[in-house]
Amino acid sequence: MSGAFRIPSAGRLSQAKTARFSFDGQSYTGIEGDTLASALLANGVHLVGRSFKYHRPRGFLSAGAEEPNALVQIERDAARKAPNIRATVQELYDGLVASSQNRWPSLAFDVGAVNDIASPLFSAGFYYKTFMWPKAAWKSLYEPKIRAAAGLGVSPDKPDPDHYSSRYAHCDVLVLGGGAAGIAAALAAAETGARVILADEHADFGGSLRFETGAKIDGQDGYGWAQAAIAKLKGMDNVRVLSRTTAFGYYAQNFVGLVERVSDHLQSPGHDLPRERLWQVRAKRVVLATGSIERHMVFADNDRPGIMLASAARIYLNHYGVAVGKNVGVYTANDSAYAAAIDLKKAGVNIAAIVDLRDHPTGPVIDEARALGIEINFGRAVIRAGGKLRVTSMTVQPKNGGGERTIPVDAILMSAGWTPSVHLFSQSRGKVAFNDETKRFVPGIYAQDCVSVGACNGTDGLSASIDEAYAAGAKAAKDAGAKTAKGTKPKVDASESWSRGMLGAAPGAGPDKTVKAFVDFQNDVTAKDIRQAVHEGMRSIEHVKRFTTNGMATDQGKTSNMHGLAIAAETLGKPIPEVGLTTFRAPYTPVTFGAIVSHARGPLFDPTRKTAIHPWAEAHGAVFEDVGQWKRAWYFPKAGEDMHAAVDRECVAVRTNAGLFDASTLGKIEVVGPDAAKFMELLYTNPWEKLEPGRCRYGIMLREDGFIYDDGVVGRLAPDRFHVTTTTGGAPRVMNHMEDYLQTEFPHLNVWLTSITEQWAVIAVQGPKSRDIIAPLVEGIDMSDGALPHMSVREGKICGVPTRLFRMSFTGERGFEVNVPADYGQAVWEALWAEGQKHGATAYGTEAMHVLRAEKGYIIVGQDTDGTVTPNDAGLDWAVGKKKTDFVGIRGLTRPDLVAKGRKQLVGLKTKDPKVVLEEGAQIVADPKQAIPMKMIGHVTSSYWSQNCGRSIALALVAGGRDRMGETLYVPMPNGVIEVEITGMVFFDETGGRLNG
Amino acid sequence: MLLIRCPYCEEERPELEFRNAGEAHIARSANMAGESDDDFEKFFFIRSNPKGIIYERWRHIHGCARFFNAVRDTVTDKFVMTYKAGEPKPSKLPGAVK
Ligand SMILES: [Zn+2]
């Protein structure tokens, strides 16, 4: 037997398939197909959690996604600990381990429950009032305490070992909700041949047909009809049926996000299955069949375990075969709770009494209840529930006052009526309208190509819902371009029907009472809190919501919003629509980060770019650094070397013999066409028309505001062909910048731009022996200084493959950059490496490259410039064509601030103590004795130890820097002030003789 | 995710393929070097930032790579229309959005 409260004659689960599970260390037996909630209830367990603020004992309110109370922790193993799982949704599997949250030391005895007694401290707005002062106490005292006391489960502390998948899908008709209306709409749409997706959040379809025993469709009971219809839909090629799938967000242009829970219900999912799958569906038409959610009654202590929605008790009985008590009371303001009482009574459960707020209701369910001998009390209210860890009684009073009577019960079923689920409609930016007669918000003005059907549209009754849904499904398919439906509409033979109910606090929880009558269970918001918010000046429901936190918990107020709104409206003395409904936002229910991130994590988070020479560097012990998406060899340590030693050795070797450097990541763009030179004239500050083919020039690119945007060496291969290089990080934006001007401002120029970064591997060979290393491998290029001077380029062959051979230098040494097709990059590198070994060459990385260029005062855009540096500031005025009449940035350069005196200029810095290496970013002051905050006149942009200079070197941007040559300035640091001298930017080989050395 | 119609591809494509490129119909002067400070300020710094209809440049960067112009409502985030770079600012908008 799977629990003392299991009723063998009721429910649809097979008693034979048991599943063992544990809750808070205690073992229980349930049945396959149970939820954790139904399995616990079958074992008589109602107490499953403590509330967020007051730590009040809580049980199950519902049997579905709207559950505010029964949040538990599910633990599969050390890394798989999921907090805040709704026990009403979690399906049972053999071996499931669950525990309660927000209690210490135990669920039955919780120290935090003192908050319940001290509750005046925690009333509405307490966050805003209580913890305001002193400010510093927030970090050290209030926040940690509040977080510890208000814990909602424990996050896993290990990386998530599960994997998640993601799919895009397109369809003609997307039907959201698989109850009677959703199924009817899907059938109608599917029969036209349209592509249909039908999704429902539950494990099985049917919606309220899962508990409505009175429904008969096409000669079958409602649930049986639903299963047959789903089987039919699953058999159709044009239909995809998704169960356990929640539509959590409705976005622009009928784009809907859904999460399918693939394996959380399985005992051992294995690694083949993702835990969840994200569906991103673009639908031509959407049918919303999201149903309605029952509301609770707002009365004193309505949160005691054992008090739940009437429909929940009914589903536990009719679907799971579980009685929620042995002696059950009912408190209602509409008919639907009667059906629950009738079903339980027929299953042998005692119904202590039905308490109905209405004065003289009539109808078949009332007659039937009376005929079954159930005591019915009209015009009366339950003013209080007794019991603490479990409800023990309900106290009844005539609704206008009078004698009290206490009835012993072990459960209370409540129903204040049903709220249409307009969440997704609202997310689609549709505007809801208030129906004054039925006191509910229903879809009003649509913003997208969707339609609401059934209960979520305020349509009452099964027959009317199916009619509406079937017609809407057929129309949606037709509007999406399909043919006319050729099926037959399902015929409703019998149904249950009810509507109305009440909103707001029940008598006994009115403005004159100080009782705890809960509106929002998850955030512990009472009717009194909402009234208090109004009394303290909140007028808009948005303010009331934030002040009280009503509806702001993870359940997003699915059961509480309408009650809260009604109480606020009543207190304000305004009609409900004037107070307004808060906006519903995605997600409908919480979505895991895993589902959203999917496979895009770890190595798949961002693409990794590796050069053709990467494997060689890896094999030779390179340490890599990330430069954007690129992996670049940083330095090549030999055994026993730290970074410092390796970089010193590499720097010296380049200037002594030669070094090989992988420069493949350099951005490369080919500018081709009859107007290529004209285009270059406009995009760079330099003159290009007169640059001879075969020659190179260092180019500077500005933005229109006159600030340096990028730089690089440009080789002219032919009159109509430029090989442009950019910074490694700047390549994509430079390409975008060039395309922008070419397409929109200079479309008359006949030019083509091609990114060739990935096509050419680049091997820099630098140093006095560089020519000796390259020359034996080159064919068809005269390597003499006369034929191939500094800053020139030739096309020919190296190692038998095509090359663009640049004579250029970023080290100040005689240097070459060998461009070869990327596929040959590693082979040519290896050939050059072998040749280099004869000449004492070394491989060097980006760190040595940085040091070597700084020794020569060559800038790095983005390091020595920051988007506010002009060519003049950087000492590069020589690169701006003075006779040019236009280029991008020409006007910006003459702006008043850009020509003003005292701008920060790039200079060299030498520390007085040559051993001290400055910190990059360190601030510079003229007088270190001045009061703090000091006037800062510049900062260090580049700083290194230079083994070649035998001292530290640095570049800095300093106000009026070039007029301060030889001046002593100061760099105040936490450990003392560093004295520096302003110098020129070139620290090594000032005459530049080594370029031909 | 929005669908944006590329006027060159003549197709609606997902937002991920596009990149915004700022306000449209701000022409670069043919005599840039001779612009006054005021005119340069208007050209480079001043943008309209309207509540409602905005004319802006987009690039189909992960598609045909073309720049084009779009009319978008900043309140609803809806694209009213798109058109090719160089085409005049439309005088009438479809759907008569105010
Ligand atoms: Zn395109």
Side-chain angles (χ1 to χ4, degrees), chain A residues 126 224 298 319 337 597 691 706 738 742-743 801 880 912:
Chain A
F126 87 103
V298 179
H319 192 75
V597 171
L691 182 71
M738 286 184 170
L742 181 58
Q743 290 184 34
V801 305
V880 180
K912 289 274 160 89

Side-chain angles (χ1 to χ4, degrees), chain B residues 4-11 13 17-18 59-68:
Chain B
I4 300 172
R5 183 181 165 80
C6 172
Y8 294 96
C9 296
E10 301 186 336
E11 228 185 294
R13 306 292 304 169
E17 294 182 7
F18 298 85
R59 187 181 184 202
H60 194 186
I61 189 162
H62 301 299
C64 65
R66 300 297 298 265
F67 283 85
F68 60 89

Side-chain angles (χ1 to χ4, degrees), chain A residues 541-767:
Chain A
I541 194 62
E542 295 287 355
H543 294 156
V544 171
K545 170 180 163 174
R546 279 157 186 81
F547 193 70
T548 60
T549 71
N550 190 58
M552 289 175 71
T554 60
D555 68 329
Q556 285 203 40
K558 291 185 177 62
T559 50
S560 65
N561 278 338
M562 287 306 294
H563 281 321
L565 176 57
I567 296 167
E570 189 191 12
T571 314
L572 284 163
K574 281 184 182 174
I576 284 174
E578 278 184 37
V579 182
L581 186 63
T582 55
T583 311
F584 295 102
R585 299 189 196 284
Y588 174 70
T589 49
V591 177
T592 62
F593 283 115
I596 291 166
V597 171
S598 190
H599 292 297
R601 61 177 189 169
L604 298 179
F605 175 69
D606 203 24
T608 301
R609 301 174 78 182
K610 294 176 181 173
T611 71
I613 296 147
H614 187 92
W616 187 94
E618 211 164 25
H620 286 74
V623 176
F624 291 91
E625 69 166 337
D626 291 335
V627 180
Q629 292 169 332
W630 287 106
K631 296 280 175 201
R632 298 199 73 180
W634 195 8
Y635 55 97
F636 293 82
K638 291 191 169 170
E641 278 185 338
D642 61 5
M643 178 176 174
H644 203 77
V647 171
D648 285 353
R649 175 182 48 76
E650 290 170 19
C651 287
V652 171
V654 171
R655 299 213 187 281
T656 312
N657 295 313
L660 266 67
F661 174 70
D662 179 4
S664 303
T665 65
L666 213 64
K668 296 175 280 292
I669 297 167
E670 206 162 275
V671 178
V672 182
D675 296 325
K678 276 195 188 118
F679 181 73
M680 291 297 294
E681 290 273 340
L682 285 164
L683 267 291
Y684 283 83
T685 59
N686 321 61
W688 299 96
E689 296 275 16
K690 289 187 180 149
L691 182 71
E692 294 285 328
R695 296 309 305 259
C696 302
R697 183 162 283 165
Y698 169 74
I700 297 178
M701 173 178 269
L702 306 181
R703 298 197 327 166
E704 215 59 91
D705 55 10
F707 295 130
I708 295 175
Y709 190 57
D710 201 72
D711 69 349
V713 170
V714 177
R716 190 170 196 174
L717 299 171
D720 63 350
R721 185 174 298 259
F722 290 84
H723 180 116
V724 176
T725 67
T726 74
T727 55
T728 292
R733 61 182 158 81
V734 169
M735 184 72 184
N736 189 69
H737 178 84
M738 286 184 170
E739 277 288 350
D740 193 349
Y741 278 95
L742 181 58
Q743 290 184 34
T744 66
E745 297 293 353
F746 314 131
H748 56 282
L749 296 182
N750 191 357
V751 175
W752 293 88
L753 304 171
T754 309
S755 166
I756 52 169
T757 302
E758 305 264 355
Q759 277 61 37
W760 294 96
V762 184
I763 303 159
V765 186
Q766 302 276 314

Side-chain angles (χ1 to χ4, degrees), chain A residues 878-902:
Chain A
W878 57 266
V880 180
K882 300 294 178 301
K883 291 179 189 157
K884 291 175 71 170
T885 53
D886 198 8
F887 57 83
V888 174
I890 191 167
R891 180 61 185 82
L893 282 178
T894 61
R895 290 190 291 143
D897 279 358
L898 271 63
V899 295
K901 282 252 176 290

Side-chain angles (χ1 to χ4, degrees), chain A residues 14 131 139 206 244 251 281 291 313 334 372 375 377 407 553 608 628 630 646 698 785 816 863:
Chain A
S14 164
F131 303 108
K139 249 189 160 162
R244 300 186 177 94
Y251 306 97
V281 179
N334 86 69
L372 286 167
E375 179 194 325
N377 302 279
I407 305 171
T608 301
W630 287 106
Y698 169 74
D785 281 346
F816 300 87
Q863 177 168 342

